[in-house]
């Protein structure tokens, strides 16, 4: 039996793993900045549904610790980055009942 791998899927999976690693290392303040900058950018995409970059444009951010976050300005990759950053920031601000935020357990 021959196993056939979808090369586009594997490339996309590898890219998401690279983005996840960069976002994990990126500082909270840096994540807040990127999230703020690209929320409106994505809203503009939703209103016109027109791909502007054709995956040829990219942005690079450096946080105060020197960590790098680079991603393409394609709709798909930008949405993934903002969604992942929002998830990271939300996980740090939500009290899950585990005794954080000064709770007296």
């Amino acid at each position: 039996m021959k196993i056939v791998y979808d090369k586009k899927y594997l490339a996309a999976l590898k890219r998401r793993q690279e983005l996840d690693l960069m976002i994990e290392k990126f500082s909270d303040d840096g994540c807040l900045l990127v999230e703020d900058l690209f929320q409106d950018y994505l809203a503009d995409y939703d209103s016109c549904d027109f791909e502007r970059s054709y995956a040829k444009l990219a942005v690079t951010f450096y946080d105060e610790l020197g960590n790098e976050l680079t991603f393409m300005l394609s709709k798909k990759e930008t949405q993934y980055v903002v969604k992942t950053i929002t998830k990271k920031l939300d996980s740090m601000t939500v009290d899950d009942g585990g005794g954080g935020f000064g709770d007296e357990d």
Side-chain angles (χ1 to χ4, degrees):
M1 172 188 240
K2 182 177 179 181
I3 299 174
V4 179
Y5 295 103
D6 183 356
K7 291 180 183 179
K8 288 183 180 181
Y9 173 78
L10 292 175
L13 179 63
K14 184 175 182 339
R15 180 64 185 148
R16 285 192 304 267
Q17 289 171 342
E18 290 171 351
L19 288 169
D20 288 343
L21 185 60
M22 283 189 282
I23 291 168
E24 182 182 319
K25 291 180 180 179
F26 213 63
S27 72
D28 300 342
D29 289 337
C31 285
L32 282 169
L33 174 67
V34 172
E35 183 184 47
D36 287 345
L37 288 173
F38 286 95
Q39 289 289 354
D40 291 337
Y41 185 78
L42 289 176
D44 190 36
Y45 263 135
D46 290 340
S47 67
C48 68
D49 200 36
F50 177 71
E51 183 72 48
R52 291 195 171 93
S53 74
Y54 304 103
K56 293 181 181 180
L57 299 174
V59 293
T60 300
F61 292 93
Y62 292 95
D63 66 9
E64 66 277 10
L65 304 173
N67 297 313
E68 179 181 321
L69 174 60
T70 300
F71 58 95
M72 292 183 296
L73 288 175
S74 66
K75 182 178 181 179
K76 188 175 184 179
E77 191 154 308
T78 305
Q79 284 175 330
Y80 182 79
V81 167
V82 171
K83 182 182 94 174
T84 307
I85 284 174
T86 302
K87 187 176 177 181
K88 174 184 175 178
L89 293 172
D90 286 348
S91 72
M92 296 174 0
T93 59
V94 175
D95 185 2
D96 62 358
F101 299 101
D103 290 346
E104 297 295 328
D105 290 320

